[in-house]
Amino acid sequence: MPHIVAAAVSAGLPGKVPVADYEACPVTHAVRMLGDKWTLLVLMLLAERAHRFNELHRRVDGISQRMLTRTLRTLEDDGLVVRTVFPTIPPGVEYGLTARGRELLVPLSALADWVVRDSAA
Amino acid sequence: MPHIVAAAVSAGLPGKVPVADYEACPVTHAVRMLGDKWTLLVLMLLAERAHRFNELHRRVDGISQRMLTRTLRTLEDDGLVVRTVFPTIPPGVEYGLTARGRELLVPLSALADWVVRDSAA
DNA sequence: CCGGATCCTATAGGATACTG
DNA sequence: CAGTATCCTATAGGATCCGG
């Protein structure tokens, strides 16, 4: 199965969809990651500009240090965010979007636009 | 704040984003709902055609009856799925996408396409 | 056939304290 | 400054049984 959405729209899914296929689908992984509690907000702040860790921590009202770290790490592992260390004293760390991260904003914005237009009606 | 993604891309977010605003944003709600464990798969099966409850239960390998009910109820509350009851004996129930649900497939497919093209690289 | 009610477990996420 | 480690709680989700 290439990806579940395309498969469904074009060829149709098999009679019983194996749970392993669904779990392995990159689209499944992507929407789950986007659905994590703080992912969207962090992504939007980084879309604006690169941020220092504590700077993000101050702007994201209510997030715990632990979850900010975890959210950034996940985004980094998915290649959407890049972490840059400045060997100053004390060391500074900057988080910014990768090219991939900025590209994601295009279809994500389209989805967001639809949601807003739709929820207005 | 109209919606967080547009706000970020155009005007920029306020210095500190109030957690209440983030939680109230319809886009936040939408991506979280899409990120729920079974939402995507159920949506794709219903995109193919309308299904009976047990028919879905058989096709979605590994889902519990409880979660299928909850997933469908949530989709129905969000106006993406419609539930039709046939007063036969025993009663039959059919679930299908609403017009809104079919419209959602457009930006969702675009996102899915990007994810797949991206994860191939 | 289509669920609701109940109970249980696993995981997401928060609070706090500590370090290079 | 930018985390890691630990502990704790809340919620998502699964299993099972029951009813219209």
Side-chain angles (χ1 to χ4, degrees):
Chain A
M1 177 163 45
H3 89 258
I4 191 174
V5 180
V9 171
S10 64
L13 264 10
K16 171 185 284 195
V17 179
V19 63
D21 288 3
Y22 180 53
E23 295 296 321
C25 177
V27 179
T28 300
H29 173 261
V31 297
R32 289 213 185 133
M33 186 264 289
L34 290 173
D36 286 345
K37 184 159 183 179
W38 301 105
T39 300
L40 189 62
L41 180 49
V42 168
L43 224 43
M44 292 311 104
L45 289 174
L46 294 184
E48 195 184 314
R49 59 176 173 81
H51 282 73
R52 300 284 295 274
F53 182 88
N54 278 339
E55 195 179 10
L56 273 177
H57 197 187
R58 280 187 298 271
R59 291 193 70 185
V60 181
D61 179 39
I63 197 173
S64 65
Q65 210 168 34
R66 179 174 131 73
M67 284 312 294
L68 180 54
T69 301
R70 277 183 45 102
T71 302
L72 288 168
R73 203 66 75 211
T74 299
L75 288 169
E76 195 188 352
D77 291 344
D78 285 353
L80 301 173
V81 160
V82 59
R83 177 177 182 270
T84 311
V85 181
F86 298 99
T88 54
I89 299 185
V93 179
E94 197 178 73
Y95 291 92
L97 291 187
T98 60
R100 186 175 281 202
R102 280 186 298 273
E103 286 167 24
L104 169 63
L105 292 183
V106 177
L108 185 56
S109 289
L111 176 64
D113 286 344
W114 180 84
V115 169
V116 170
R117 278 196 306 274
D118 176 77
S119 65
Chain B
M1 179 163 43
H3 88 258
I4 191 174
V5 181
V9 172
S10 64
L13 264 12
K16 171 183 286 193
V17 179
V19 63
D21 289 3
Y22 181 54
E23 295 296 320
C25 178
V27 179
T28 301
H29 173 262
V31 297
R32 291 216 185 130
M33 187 263 290
L34 290 173
D36 286 344
K37 185 161 185 179
W38 302 104
T39 301
L40 190 62
L41 181 51
V42 168
L43 225 41
M44 293 310 104
L45 289 174
L46 294 184
E48 195 183 316
R49 59 177 174 80
H51 283 72
R52 299 283 296 274
F53 183 88
N54 278 342
E55 195 179 9
L56 273 178
H57 198 188
R58 280 187 298 272
R59 293 193 69 185
V60 181
D61 179 39
I63 197 173
S64 65
Q65 210 168 35
R66 177 172 132 70
M67 283 312 294
L68 179 55
T69 301
R70 277 182 45 100
T71 302
L72 289 168
R73 202 65 75 210
T74 300
L75 288 170
E76 195 188 353
D77 291 343
D78 284 351
L80 300 173
V81 159
V82 58
R83 177 177 183 269
T84 311
V85 182
F86 298 99
T88 55
I89 300 185
V93 179
E94 196 177 73
Y95 291 92
L97 291 186
T98 59
R100 185 176 281 202
R102 280 186 297 274
E103 287 168 24
L104 169 63
L105 293 183
V106 178
L108 186 55
S109 290
L111 176 64
D113 287 343
W114 180 85
V115 169
V116 171
R117 279 196 306 273
D118 176 76
S119 65

